[in-house]
Amino acid sequence: MTKNLNNCFFQLQATDVFKTARNSIITYGEQMTLNKWNYSDTQAIRLIVRYSFNATMNKYKGKSAGLLERNRL
């Protein structure tokens, strides 16, 4: 989920919240079958917040910078 306000950016991420990620190994032998389930700790919830300081849409382009100097020459 992503939300973008003027200068703020919020993002919420969730990974394997219900602990469903697992690996399985099945080994077949003559006398037995070995079935092993391995659950790993991959659960995570992340909240990302970004803020932009002085984020204006009309940035200074320098159109009149040095105008007096150019006129002097």
Side-chain angles (χ1 to χ4, degrees):
M1 180 171 84
T2 303
K3 183 70 176 172
N4 191 0
L5 300 174
N6 291 335
N7 294 345
C8 295
F9 174 82
F10 297 98
Q11 186 174 16
L12 181 65
Q13 297 175 345
T15 304
D16 193 25
V17 178
F18 301 110
K19 196 174 182 176
T20 57
R22 63 183 180 206
N23 297 323
S24 66
I25 298 172
I26 301 174
T27 305
Y28 297 100
E30 290 182 21
Q31 306 248 334
M32 67 175 188
T33 300
L34 177 65
N35 189 355
K36 181 180 178 184
W37 294 92
N38 185 16
Y39 290 92
S40 50
D41 294 327
T42 58
Q43 299 154 319
I45 295 178
R46 293 177 190 91
L47 174 64
I48 299 171
V49 179
R50 292 186 201 145
Y51 183 78
S52 299
F53 294 96
N54 296 329
T56 60
M57 298 302 286
N58 299 333
K59 293 188 178 182
Y60 178 69
K61 304 287 186 190
K63 292 180 181 176
S64 63
L67 185 60
L68 292 174
E69 273 307 302
R70 284 187 280 165
N71 289 337
R72 184 182 65 86
L73 297 174

